[in-house]
Amino acid sequence: MVLSDCLARVQEGASGLSRAPAAAPPAQTAAADGRDGEAEALIATRLVLHCPGFEPLDAKAHRARYVRAARQSAAVHGLAVEAGPLEPEGSASAFTVTCRTPEGAAVTSRIVLFDHAALVARLTRRPLARRLAAGALSAARVVGEGGLAGYLRHGWRFALFFLFPFLLVTLMLAASGLAAALPVLFGFSSVHLAWSGPLALLLFTHVLLPLGSPLHTLLLFADWEMAVAVARQDSAPVNAWLDQAFETARGAIEKAGAVDEIVVSGHSMGASIAALLLGRLIERDPARLVAARLAMVTLGSAILQCALLRSAVRLRADVGRIARHPGLVWVDVQCLTDPIHFYKAPVVALCGHPDAPAASILQLRLKQVLTPERYRRIRLSFLRVHRQYVLGPDRPGRFDFTRLTAGPRPAESLRER
């Protein structure tokens, strides 16, 4: 299928169906990417526990995004991919994906989505003044707990990402304050502040903040509230959500039975949530994790966003448990073009476990998987670039989220690329 045809199909919607030319269904005796001698590595059944990043998207929207990405990936790799309907799975949601390769390998994957749309809504639907104050308090806590110093030391671009929304809102407030003071600055009586003050407030709320909305300024305020709550483990709603997610993950593993592979994946801040879930599973119920291949795959990981705060004792301990778990494979997918993660940072060591096995780093190059036109269009949009880990490719590359979660090769094969 040519690229233009692929892109046209991506726009059709989220029906869940993507087809490649039919292939005969022999037994799975050939490697999915044509390598010889790797038949024993193929996956037929898989459970994926996926933790998305901090976005105002519910499970339905995440599934729709997955379907669009799968269509694009199927066209690139000649796969037949079909996503089933969204179903309740404990406190989360899930759907089943079937995939067939041109060589006839068939895979069934159950994908459990631990979206935290309810937590995002709780943070973003409060009065403006409260959102600004809570965000500013979170920023102060990040600085006070050594987070900013750690960002500057281990990922200076992430430090800029942290500072950006707070500096932008500070400039907006300064401009509004200057507007309010104009009558006095021009020598008029301070009585005029009675009308210039309210006008300045309107300037801030109805002009300047909307101008910053394409940059998701206020959403980033909430993002940092969530990051601090994950690190400190002192938010009752967040802790209750994590408890429910753990029970759902444990139940999904029990329900899945003897699958060939369990993949725990996390994108952006979702990587911290994935680490907390998997760490707790290893600590409390390790017997459930020994029967299948077990992999942790972090995508544009922001684990250090939380873990570099002094209060993130639990998260750092869970990182150590994951790194030391026998047989577990941890692949950390990174991208130089993406500033919203810690490029080349040794996550396990920086969490206080220099003697534990390090996560394998897979470097994704967007120029290799996107057309020049698409790359030029998105490369200056840092949030759009940061989402590319879970979106579809235009060309084959070293990493593809659809192939990770639905394809026949195990996650450990990412370490070979």
Side-chain angles (χ1 to χ4, degrees):
M1 180 179 292
V2 297
L3 177 60
S4 59
D5 198 7
C6 165
L7 294 176
R9 292 187 64 182
V10 171
Q11 302 300 323
E12 290 176 0
S15 67
L17 190 62
S18 179
R19 295 288 183 189
Q28 296 188 189
T29 57
D33 59 1
R35 299 185 189 186
D36 295 328
E38 296 187 3
E40 69 281 2
L42 292 183
I43 299 297
T45 57
R46 174 189 289 112
L47 174 66
V48 180
L49 307 176
H50 180 62
C51 303
F54 188 87
E55 296 182 89
L57 301 179
D58 60 11
K60 182 179 179 180
H62 281 294
R63 179 195 169 277
R65 173 188 283 177
Y66 183 93
V67 168
R68 292 192 297 270
R71 284 177 171 172
Q72 203 165 343
S73 179
V76 170
H77 298 290
L79 306 174
V81 182
E82 183 173 353
L86 199 65
E87 302 169 339
E89 183 80 36
S91 64
S93 300
F95 59 99
T96 299
V97 179
T98 57
C99 174
R100 185 177 294 278
T101 71
E103 296 80 15
V107 188
T108 301
S109 299
R110 180 72 169 175
I111 301 178
V112 183
L113 289 170
F114 293 92
D115 76 278
H116 39 276
L119 294 176
V120 177
R122 177 180 173 274
L123 294 172
T124 57
R125 292 177 181 173
R126 296 172 300 176
L128 175 60
R130 187 177 174 188
R131 293 179 66 183
L132 293 173
L137 178 60
S138 298
R141 286 173 171 168
V142 169
V143 174
E145 291 199 26
L148 178 57
Y151 305 158
L152 290 169
R153 188 177 304 117
H154 303 295
W156 64 269
R157 296 187 304 167
F158 196 88
L160 296 180
F161 167 70
F162 163 67
L163 292 171
F164 162 73
F166 303 107
L167 291 178
L168 182 59
V169 170
T170 298
L171 289 174
M172 291 178 181
L173 288 170
S176 301
L178 179 62
L182 281 178
V184 176
L185 293 177
F186 280 101
F188 293 99
S189 168
S190 59
V191 173
H192 292 280
L193 293 174
W195 60 264
S196 66
L199 282 180
L201 180 61
L202 290 175
L203 172 68
F204 176 72
T205 58
H206 287 72
V207 178
L208 297 180
L209 278 180
L211 285 175
S213 61
L215 300 173
H216 304 284
T217 309
L218 291 179
L219 181 64
L220 292 177
F221 268 57
D223 175 88
W224 285 102
E225 282 190 75
M226 180 74 172
V228 170
V230 169
R232 295 164 67 101
Q233 300 277 284
D234 62 351
S235 167
V238 172
N239 291 348
W241 185 92
L242 287 169
D243 290 341
Q244 293 173 352
F246 167 72
E247 293 299 332
T248 295
R250 184 162 60 177
I253 293 171
E254 182 178 5
K255 180 180 176 182
V259 292
D260 295 332
E261 181 181 53
I262 298 173
V263 175
V264 180
S265 61
H267 172 230
S268 190
M269 188 188 293
S272 292
I273 294 172
L276 289 169
L277 291 181
L278 182 54
R280 194 181 299 190
L281 284 166
I282 291 172
E283 179 187 34
R284 299 186 184 180
D285 211 349
R288 295 184 187 274
L289 302 174
V290 297
R293 291 185 178 98
L294 178 62
M296 169 89 160
V297 182
T298 45
L299 316 169
S301 169
I303 286 179
L304 294 177
Q305 175 186 22
C306 304
L308 288 176
L309 275 63
R310 282 189 290 270
S311 61
V313 176
R314 173 75 201 196
L315 177 58
R316 290 193 294 270
D318 282 335
V319 167
R321 290 187 186 93
I322 294 167
R324 293 187 175 93
H325 188 69
L328 181 142
V329 172
W330 185 346
V331 180
D332 190 17
V333 184
Q334 302 182 355
C335 176
L336 177 60
T337 315
D338 174 24
I340 313 179
H341 76 309
F342 292 82
Y343 186 66
K344 290 189 175 181
V347 174
V348 176
L350 292 177
C351 286
H353 309 282
D355 58 329
S360 299
I361 295 177
L362 187 153
Q363 295 183 7
L364 172 66
R365 298 199 59 177
L366 295 190
K367 284 185 177 181
Q368 293 178 350
V369 298
L370 300 178
T371 61
E373 295 78 15
R374 189 189 299 273
Y375 178 75
R376 284 195 298 270
R377 193 162 64 245
I378 74 167
R379 66 187 178 90
L380 296 181
S381 174
F382 60 92
L383 290 174
R384 170 58 180 83
V385 167
H386 189 55
R387 289 195 295 270
Q388 184 58 43
Y389 300 96
V390 295
L391 300 181
D394 297 326
R395 301 183 290 201
R398 300 184 69 198
F399 175 77
D400 183 324
F401 188 60
T402 299
R403 297 185 78 191
L404 166 71
T405 55
R409 288 186 59 77
E412 63 184 334
S413 67
L414 294 173
R415 299 192 300 181
E416 306 165 4
R417 301 180 183 179

